[in-house]
Amino acid sequence: YDLGIVPQLVSEHQLHTLAAVEQPPHTIIVPAMQMFDETAWRSLQRFVHQGGTLLVSGVISRSPHNLPFDPMLTAIRQEELQPRMVSRYEELEIAPGETQHLIFEGEKIGYVRKAHNQLKIYRHGAGTIVWSGLPLELSSNFQATHHVYRQVLKPSEQRSCVNSPLLVARQPLKDGVLVLAVSEIGSFQRIMLDEGVQIEVAPNRAGAVMMKGNQVMHSFGGIHCMHIE
């Protein structure tokens, strides 16, 4: 939300279908991976080999049964594949001289594992794998996750990191624009768009409007168009 990007959630058991979709994603994020299905990992590698970008964090060499498997990435040292316990305070090296602090609170130091303390980048075929050895999303410092996501996703809009229950994203179309709104608040919200159109988003709903100029062509989901100025 902070980056103005709406993700699509995909099960690891659906990853094999990526090769058949008409418009595959540019980037896949696998959050805080500690144990992962080896077949799904191979599907991700094929996605990267064809030109995609993959961001993973945590241990990448353990199956759901905690059995080791080879991630088949060059330049990985053997010690980086051995899970280690995290400390309460950890430092992730983003680049030489640049670090982000991660905090693992409460009982997390008893079950959360790490591989290393760096953000590593690998070329794989035509694509890129970005690997954080620390499980970003299990840290209490969401600013570190935000920083890495911004670096990998490279959003076109410069947005401040604001904790907001609303997300409004715009996508240019051939003959207009698609405006998507997502609400995570329990009351109706009214939003004035740049085109002078006011939309109302239902509580905890998402929806979209297709616009041409300042005219609403279609509306979808939990969005109601109020008026045009």
Side-chain angles (χ1 to χ4, degrees), residues 141-190:
N141 181 13
F142 75 93
Q143 294 282 0
T145 304
H146 177 275
H147 181 85
V148 175
Y149 279 17
R150 176 177 290 279
Q151 180 171 315
V152 173
L153 295 171
K154 297 179 176 61
S156 57
E157 294 184 36
Q158 293 296 320
R159 295 166 59 98
S160 59
C161 185
V162 179
N163 186 14
S164 171
L166 287 172
L167 170 67
V168 179
R170 305 173 68 89
Q171 179 64 44
L173 302 175
K174 182 178 180 180
D175 295 316
V177 65
L178 176 70
V179 181
L180 173 69
V182 184
S183 172
E184 289 191 326
I185 189 171
S187 58
F188 284 91
Q189 298 293 306
R190 293 185 177 182

Side-chain angles (χ1 to χ4, degrees), residues 16 26 34 63 81 95 126 155 158 198-199 215:
H16 67 280
H26 297 291
Q34 297 202 98
S63 74
L81 299 179
Q158 293 296 320
Q198 187 178 66
I199 62 174
Q215 298 294 319

Side-chain angles (χ1 to χ4, degrees), residues 43-180:
S43 296
L44 289 172
Q45 285 184 308
R46 288 192 293 271
F47 161 77
V48 174
H49 196 273
Q50 295 170 359
T53 298
L54 173 67
L55 170 61
V56 295
S57 67
V59 177
I60 65 171
S61 58
R62 294 281 166 164
S63 74
H65 304 289
N66 202 25
L67 298 175
F69 68 85
D70 183 3
M72 298 175 62
L73 291 178
T74 58
I76 291 184
R77 300 193 302 270
Q78 189 61 34
E79 57 265 27
E80 294 175 346
L81 299 179
Q82 303 302 317
R84 294 179 290 160
M85 295 179 64
V86 297
S87 300
R88 178 176 174 83
Y89 299 97
E90 294 276 3
E91 283 190 345
L92 176 67
E93 182 181 341
I94 304 295
E98 180 185 358
T99 60
Q100 287 286 326
H101 295 273
L102 278 70
I103 304 173
F104 298 94
E105 297 179 325
E107 298 178 353
K108 291 181 180 179
I109 59 174
Y111 67 86
V112 175
R113 299 292 186 267
K114 68 176 182 178
H116 50 79
N117 285 63
Q118 293 177 295
L119 190 70
K120 295 178 176 289
I121 300 177
Y122 300 91
R123 293 295 299 176
H124 184 66
T128 303
I129 296 178
V130 183
W131 178 25
S132 166
L134 284 164
L136 291 168
E137 296 82 6
L138 293 181
S139 166
S140 301
N141 181 13
F142 75 93
Q143 294 282 0
T145 304
H146 177 275
H147 181 85
V148 175
Y149 279 17
R150 176 177 290 279
Q151 180 171 315
V152 173
L153 295 171
K154 297 179 176 61
S156 57
E157 294 184 36
Q158 293 296 320
R159 295 166 59 98
S160 59
C161 185
V162 179
N163 186 14
S164 171
L166 287 172
L167 170 67
V168 179
R170 305 173 68 89
Q171 179 64 44
L173 302 175
K174 182 178 180 180
D175 295 316
V177 65
L178 176 70
V179 181
L180 173 69

Side-chain angles (χ1 to χ4, degrees), residues 194-214:
D194 295 342
E195 293 81 1
V197 177
Q198 187 178 66
I199 62 174
E200 185 177 66
V201 189
N204 295 307
R205 291 287 305 279
V209 291
M210 291 180 62
M211 305 189 61
K212 187 174 182 180
N214 66 344

